Amino acid sequence: MTEKQEFVSRREILAQKMQPESICVVPAARLQTRSRDTEFPFRQDSDFQYLTGFPEPDALLVLSNSQKFKGVHTVLFCLDKDPTAEIWHGRRFGAECAKNTFGFLQAYPLEETESILLELIDGHQNLYVALDHCEQTDELIKHILKQLREAPKQSRMAPTALLDNRPLIHELRLRKSPAEIAIMKRVGDISAQAHKRAMLFCRPGVNEYQLEAELHHEFAMQGARYPAYGTIVGGGRNACILHYTENSDVLNDGDLVLIDAGGELDGYAADITRTFPVNGKFSSEQAQLYNLVLEAQLASLELLIPGNNLKQATDKSIEVITQGLLDLGILAGTLEDNLQEQTYRQFYMHGLSHWLGLDVHDVGDYKVKGQDRALEAGMVFTVEPGVYIADTADVDDRWKGIGIRIEDNVAITENGHDILTAQVPKTIADIEKLMSGEECVG
Ligand code: GLY
Ligand code: MN
Ligand code: MN
């Protein structure tokens, strides 16, 4: 768990980054209807989570750096204590307890938001808000600004600049603190255990969703109650559908199965892919393509040090995969011509990496002033090359219907990187050994 002081200091840093005389509003997530009067499990908004740690829906964070307050002023609006509502829907912190537990200077019941927020915004020059993110917040802000503008005789002053708070918050979220890295290491370990469990459970005749169930069971049993995103379990040609989440087919002898799954812990995602044989033994074609994807991943990983950028690693993966496909006769011609024509795109059609954190496709710009962003300690991302040969591809039949991705999570350190998901086997020898039952699951 992240300590209260870390949330307090994130809010202080954000307040410092804002222009002087600014106020910032960040809404919590709302419950989403699943059907009629039932809801999806609640998931906190990632920006709100990053700045508060407060786990309830409907709340609102307000943050000011105005001189009229001594120091950074933080206010939370939240659902207040209500014995009847709590009998039906569950416990609430309530304003007073939330204030003390999460370190806000003030907290008020949600019903008081409009009148108090109007007083808070009054007199600030700039208002930071993520418009088009939450309809209710947009309406509330519009309504308050209108009232402030229409009340000049009461010496009200509406902010004259509306600024997007996301670039500031997302720049902070891009660099993970030691506490965040520790959580991500833990959820990487948990997710690795889940992948091992699925490998051990797998055999011909098992359904894809049964492997999904094994993964989700392991996540939850180790404290990561929910998956971080829709789990992908694709046997055979289903592995060539990049976002396959139907997970409803039977796994066949002789096929590979691709699993892309990660748990979520304290809001942080793991994002692991492994591809392995349903029957525990790679065929010759499967092994050749697998080793090519692995070679591309290992070569990319070597470049992931502070000062380098993700584009360099991506280019490396493209070069290795293109050369490998030429060596296997899946592509023809020279390396140079193929790179020039980007022929790899028919078989490797997604990027190598994305930032990882509170969101699986985490926030943060990939370019700074038009240049690829240099990697820094604390940045966390995936490394996930793949090769997918569709049934319809113009290649020898023996390669068709094979889809392979290998995905790990990497944190940049002062001198290099840590692989947060290293606990799950990756070489053919290690996968076959685990699936043969020779290795104990640790
Ligand atoms: N699991 C989604 C991705 O790998 O990007
Ligand atoms: Mn990914
Ligand atoms: Mn993934």
Side-chain angles (χ1 to χ4, degrees), residues 14 24 47 128-134 163-173 363-364:
L14 175 60
C24 175
D47 286 345
Y128 283 85
V129 61
L131 289 177
D132 291 330
H133 178 62
C134 166
L163 299 165
D164 193 342
N165 59 27
R166 283 166 286 200
L168 291 184
I169 299 171
H170 295 177
E171 191 68 12
L172 297 180
R173 280 177 54 190
V363 294

Side-chain angles (χ1 to χ4, degrees), residues 182-219:
I183 296 168
M184 294 188 76
K185 173 77 188 135
R186 175 76 191 125
V187 75
D189 279 344
I190 292 170
S191 304
Q193 294 304 322
H195 276 259
K196 287 169 91 168
R197 184 182 175 109
M199 284 179 188
L200 283 168
F201 185 82
C202 189
R203 58 190 181 276
V206 158
N207 204 294
E208 290 167 345
Y209 63 72
Q210 291 177 306
L211 291 193
E212 175 187 86
E214 290 294 316
L215 289 148
H216 292 190
H217 175 87
E218 191 70 19
F219 292 161

Side-chain angles (χ1 to χ4, degrees), residues 229 260 271 354 361 384 407:
Y229 55 92
D260 184 342
D271 183 8
H354 55 80
H361 296 155
E384 49 179 307
E407 176 173 28

Side-chain angles (χ1 to χ4, degrees), residues 99-270:
K99 182 179 88 168
N100 300 328
T101 309
F102 297 90
F104 303 103
L105 287 182
Q106 293 175 341
Y108 299 100
L110 213 52
E111 300 78 55
E112 296 176 32
T113 307
E114 191 181 320
S115 58
I116 295 177
L117 188 55
L118 183 140
E119 297 296 335
L120 284 168
I121 293 178
D122 183 18
H124 284 84
Q125 288 173 10
N126 313 296
L127 172 60
Y128 283 85
V129 61
L131 289 177
D132 291 330
H133 178 62
C134 166
E135 215 175 297
Q136 289 85 350
T137 307
D138 287 0
E139 285 306 312
L140 177 66
I141 294 295
K142 257 167 62 180
H143 183 65
I144 288 177
L145 290 179
K146 191 163 187 285
Q147 288 186 64
L148 287 174
R149 288 184 191 125
E150 285 175 356
K153 291 206 188 86
Q154 294 155 34
S155 10
R156 298 288 199 189
M157 194 189 105
T160 50
L162 280 186
L163 299 165
D164 193 342
N165 59 27
R166 283 166 286 200
L168 291 184
I169 299 171
H170 295 177
E171 191 68 12
L172 297 180
R173 280 177 54 190
L174 178 59
R175 297 172 183 82
K176 274 69 179 174
S177 69
E180 290 179 289
I181 301 270
I183 296 168
M184 294 188 76
K185 173 77 188 135
R186 175 76 191 125
V187 75
D189 279 344
I190 292 170
S191 304
Q193 294 304 322
H195 276 259
K196 287 169 91 168
R197 184 182 175 109
M199 284 179 188
L200 283 168
F201 185 82
C202 189
R203 58 190 181 276
V206 158
N207 204 294
E208 290 167 345
Y209 63 72
Q210 291 177 306
L211 291 193
E212 175 187 86
E214 290 294 316
L215 289 148
H216 292 190
H217 175 87
E218 191 70 19
F219 292 161
M221 293 307 281
Q222 299 214 38
R225 180 169 169 197
Y226 294 113
Y229 55 92
T231 292
I232 296 168
V233 182
R237 59 210 277 273
N238 292 342
C240 297
I241 302 170
L242 297 181
H243 288 162
Y244 176 81
T245 48
E246 285 167 54
N247 302 351
S248 55
D249 279 349
V250 169
L251 295 168
N252 296 316
D253 199 3
D255 279 350
L256 293 177
V257 55
L258 180 154
I259 296 183
D260 184 342
E264 182 177 283
L265 185 68
D266 294 342
Y268 290 85

Side-chain angles (χ1 to χ4, degrees), residues 385-406:
V387 167
Y388 314 87
I389 308 204
D391 285 339
T392 51
D394 184 18
V395 300
D396 195 298
D397 280 352
R398 65 202 175 109
W399 304 112
K400 288 184 182 172
I402 299 180
I404 295 165
R405 178 162 66 254
I406 305 173

